[in-house]
Amino acid sequence: MLDFWTFCCVNCLHVLDELRELEQKHHDTVVVVGVHSPKFAHEAEHAAVVDAVERYEVRHPVLDDPELATWKQYAVRAWPTLVVIDPEGYVVAQHAGEGHAHAIERLVEELEETHSAKGTLRRGEGPYVAPEPVPTDLRFPGKVLRLPGGTFLVSDSTRHALVELAADGGTVVRRIGTGERGLTDGGPDEARFSEPQGLALLPDGTVAVADTVNHALRSYDPATGLVATIAGTGRQWWQGAPVAGPAREVELSSPWDVAWFDGRLWIAMAGVHQLWAYTPPSGPDGGEAGSRETEPGAAEPVARTGTVEAVAGTTNEGLVDGPAAEAWFAQPSGLAATEDRLWIADSETSALRWLERDGDGHTVRTAVGTGLFDFGHRDGPAGQALLQHPLGVTALPDGSVAVSDTYNHALRRFDPATQKMSTLATDLREPSAAVFADGDIVVVESARHRLTRLRLPEEAVRVEAVAHRTQRAATEVAPGRLRLDVVFRAPAGQKLDDRYGPATRLTVSATPPGLLAEGAGTDTALGRELVLADGMAEGVLHVSAMAASCDVPTGGDDEYPACHMHQQDWGVPVRVTEAGTDRLPLVLAGPAAP
């Protein structure tokens, strides 16, 4: 099985998690080979790929494909894409997006049976050899919080723990968590996390933790060392699931950062390109997010729960400003609150954005950034400045913000008063967050496994401007009409789930919007006639497809069959030429692309 991925992509990270159980269960028949085909310039650096393999605990061989050569050979069009190859070397299936684990499991079982009977299946352990562990206090730390006593709390993401460091930023005071992946509450020696990231101090003195791969929010009490789950079920949110309700009953999707703003805890929900909000059970003023109280007659304290709701973003991936419910984000990964703004590091659009209260609602605006495919390192006026996949943002005392410009290995500063971007420091290896402390700024150097203290300079460091576009080759399309077909074939043993209405949905838009004269919008059919506007030479088609399927009942206890959601977003660069194609096929699930 070839897994085409890139380490910036949260959907690719979801697929890595989906594959873990399959790899363990079929360890003697299935070999997964990751094919790392980069989007950003930094992801084409071999050392960065090596780091990513360790960071995300990839337990199979990975082919570094910096020029996208293998990507092109297999006609891949989106991250992530899985290609299944049988023991005789034939490509038998292709799946774009996430949520295909159940279908692939069924296919693997069929292939095992078929090729065992034919004598073409060779069983045995795969070629993967685990690297030796490296003895460091931190391993790919994610975020940092300064506690009221002056110490620093760090999410030690790859080690699935929290670490409290002394005021010097280097001496370990204590570790919270066993270091093993899991979702377990309790004291510091029994709690388990799964790649925790964001940290925020709540009004009651506890710390909210974005437990990213557990799709949950946890609370940590520095006074007692206790860890509790305050939101999420441990399962990933999918289209159609509730977007509001009791916090412990609503599913989340890869919460990456948290910040207290406007009386609630805001969540950068990277997995679905949205901002959610958590309201503690006692309300915003007495919010005791991780509190526990003893009910009459109960031997143990009973955890109370608040509520969560989606506030901003449509789940479509892109950069669109406006009323919060209509805005588009792309993996929001960093949050920082000031009195009147919630600043957002919107990583996949390489953008710095903010949310502000507007009457009874909220509005989203962009300070720096233009979209999914433009990035670089350029200072100056906001309209010209460029970032590269920033993961963190930090409010500074003068009203400006520091941006952890992760893939540029830099710390940048945006001043709302002058509307200009400058560079504060370079040669920081994958900075992912920072915190202001006593006139200095303490930066999480994730790929150097440490905190680094910097004195904020009076003048920004000047660097040569660099601009990039995503290197994927554009698809040449003919002017005029373009037939778009999203290929979806229900996996074996399943059928389209149309019990409650149409089982499919297709949304199409473009950058720039004027690229499409006809065909933009949402409908239920997976095929559509697009019309390219006259005079447009190039652009990007944004295609989002979703299909719902369910197991075919076989009688007995199958009256209520299991149902499955298949979804994927494509950003397809196109160039209009007379010799171009008039048909654009995209495979959601089914036979491999032609």
Side-chain angles (χ1 to χ4, degrees):
M1 186 183 306
L2 302 183
D3 175 19
F4 288 87
W5 69 299
T6 187
F7 64 77
C8 72
C9 166
V10 71
N11 309 94
C12 299
L13 304 185
H14 290 166
V15 168
L16 288 176
D17 294 319
E18 291 176 0
L19 290 177
R20 294 186 202 281
E21 183 176 348
L22 180 75
E23 290 182 277
Q24 293 171 2
K25 183 176 180 180
H26 299 274
H27 62 92
D28 63 337
T29 59
V30 174
V31 173
V32 176
V33 177
V35 182
H36 188 271
S37 305
K39 172 185 175 181
F40 289 98
H42 169 60
E43 293 176 302
E45 298 175 12
H46 183 72
V49 179
V50 173
D51 282 347
V53 169
E54 180 187 352
R55 181 194 298 269
Y56 297 115
E57 295 185 313
V58 179
R59 301 296 191 222
H60 52 248
V62 174
L63 169 69
D64 190 359
D65 185 31
E67 303 297 328
L68 279 69
T70 308
W71 165 287
K72 295 172 185 175
Q73 289 170 346
Y74 282 86
V76 175
R77 292 186 181 274
W79 298 279
T81 291
L82 295 171
V83 175
V84 183
I85 303 170
D86 74 10
E88 295 179 294
Y90 292 100
V91 173
V92 294
Q94 180 174 319
H95 296 266
E98 52 183 300
H100 302 296
H102 181 270
I104 291 174
E105 167 77 15
R106 291 284 298 271
L107 176 59
V108 165
E109 291 173 350
E110 292 176 5
L111 290 171
E112 285 177 339
E113 182 177 353
T114 298
H115 289 277
S116 291
K118 292 176 65 176
T120 50
L121 177 63
R122 180 177 64 84
R123 293 179 179 269
E125 294 301 319
Y128 174 75
V129 177
E132 292 294 324
V134 182
T136 56
D137 290 330
L138 302 174
R139 203 69 190 163
F140 298 104
K143 304 291 185 181
V144 61
L145 173 69
R146 197 182 192 207
L147 295 174
T151 59
F152 296 96
L153 187 66
V154 183
S155 54
D156 196 13
S157 301
T158 297
R159 297 248 176 90
H160 314 297
L162 308 180
V163 178
E164 184 178 353
L165 299 177
D168 62 9
T171 304
V172 175
V173 176
R174 62 173 164 174
R175 299 187 68 87
I176 302 96
T178 66
E180 298 176 327
R181 189 188 295 271
L183 179 54
T184 305
D185 292 341
D189 296 328
E190 57 187 348
R192 291 188 179 189
F193 301 90
S194 188
E195 299 182 29
Q197 287 285 342
L199 307 165
L201 193 65
L202 298 175
D204 68 346
T206 61
V207 176
V209 182
D211 196 3
T212 304
V213 177
N214 276 328
H215 310 294
L217 290 186
R218 317 289 293 281
S219 71
Y220 164 64
D221 188 343
T224 65
L226 289 176
V227 174
T229 301
I230 59 176
T233 66
R235 297 183 300 274
Q236 183 182 345
W237 184 93
W238 289 96
Q239 290 285 354
V243 294
R248 291 294 304 274
E249 300 175 16
V250 176
E251 295 164 351
L252 310 180
S253 183
S254 296
W256 210 278
D257 204 4
V258 283
W260 187 264
F261 172 72
D262 202 19
R264 294 189 287 181
L265 182 73
W266 288 71
I267 309 163
M269 203 71 76
V272 286
H273 318 299
Q274 289 182 307
L275 301 182
W276 289 40
Y278 167 81
T279 302
S282 298
D285 296 327
E288 300 178 4
S291 65
R292 299 169 70 86
E293 58 187 13
T294 302
E295 292 183 353
E300 295 291 336
V302 178
R304 295 184 291 142
T305 186
T307 60
V308 292
E309 64 174 323
V311 180
T314 65
T315 76
N316 289 324
E317 185 179 15
L319 194 156
V320 176
D321 291 342
E326 301 172 13
W328 290 24
F329 296 94
Q331 288 180 217
S333 301
L335 299 176
T338 61
E339 184 176 349
D340 59 349
R341 290 183 179 184
L342 179 67
W343 290 95
I344 306 152
D346 202 27
S347 62
E348 278 293 285
T349 54
S350 297
L352 174 65
R353 308 174 73 183
W354 80 87
L355 176 142
E356 61 187 8
R357 177 162 286 284
D358 186 2
D360 294 332
H362 296 87
T363 297
V364 176
R365 306 187 192 281
T366 298
V368 173
T370 60
L372 285 165
F373 299 99
D374 294 299
F375 58 92
H377 190 158
R378 186 163 64 199
D379 288 337
Q384 301 175 17
L386 292 172
L387 302 161
Q388 186 181 179
H389 198 81
L391 290 178
V393 59
T394 307
L396 298 178
D398 64 353
S400 65
V401 291
V403 180
S404 296
D405 194 4
T406 310
Y407 288 3
N408 279 328
H409 309 299
L411 187 70
R412 313 283 292 282
R413 175 177 174 268
F414 177 74
D415 187 350
T418 63
Q419 290 290 296
K420 289 185 177 181
M421 177 72 75
S422 58
T423 298
L424 296 175
T426 57
D427 194 31
L428 298 169
R429 189 71 182 168
E430 291 192 16
S432 56
V435 63
F436 185 76
D438 302 326
D440 296 338
I441 191 161
V442 177
V443 182
V444 178
E445 282 199 87
S446 187
R448 284 198 176 113
H449 321 293
R450 70 187 188 191
L451 302 187
T452 298
R453 183 181 292 268
L454 302 174
R455 174 66 63 180
L456 289 176
E458 295 183 4
E459 294 186 5
V461 177
R462 290 181 173 85
V463 298
E464 183 179 353
V466 179
H468 299 286
R469 281 186 65 84
T470 298
Q471 62 173 311
R472 277 192 294 166
T475 298
E476 294 191 353
V477 296
R481 294 191 173 274
L482 176 64
R483 175 67 188 182
L484 170 65
D485 287 303
V486 174
V487 179
F488 177 78
R489 184 175 64 193
Q494 297 180 27
K495 64 178 182 178
L496 285 174
D497 183 11
D498 55 5
R499 292 172 295 169
Y500 308 107
T504 59
R505 186 180 71 187
L506 179 65
T507 301
V508 181
S509 62
T511 302
L515 177 66
L516 284 177
E518 297 178 22
T522 301
D523 204 345
T524 57
L526 291 181
R528 187 177 304 177
E529 292 287 339
L530 309 179
V531 178
L532 303 175
D534 292 339
M536 299 298 293
E538 63 179 5
V540 178
L541 292 175
H542 303 286
V543 181
S544 178
M546 182 179 69
S549 64
C550 60
D551 294 346
V552 177
T554 57
D557 297 329
D558 289 343
E559 182 180 357
Y560 302 102
C563 295
H564 316 275
M565 190 68 68
H566 314 265
Q567 61 188 64
Q568 172 62 4
D569 296 332
W570 290 267
V572 184
V574 296
R575 181 179 301 111
V576 181
T577 65
E578 291 295 334
T581 182
D582 61 359
R583 178 174 177 265
L584 179 59
L586 301 173
V587 178
L588 177 59

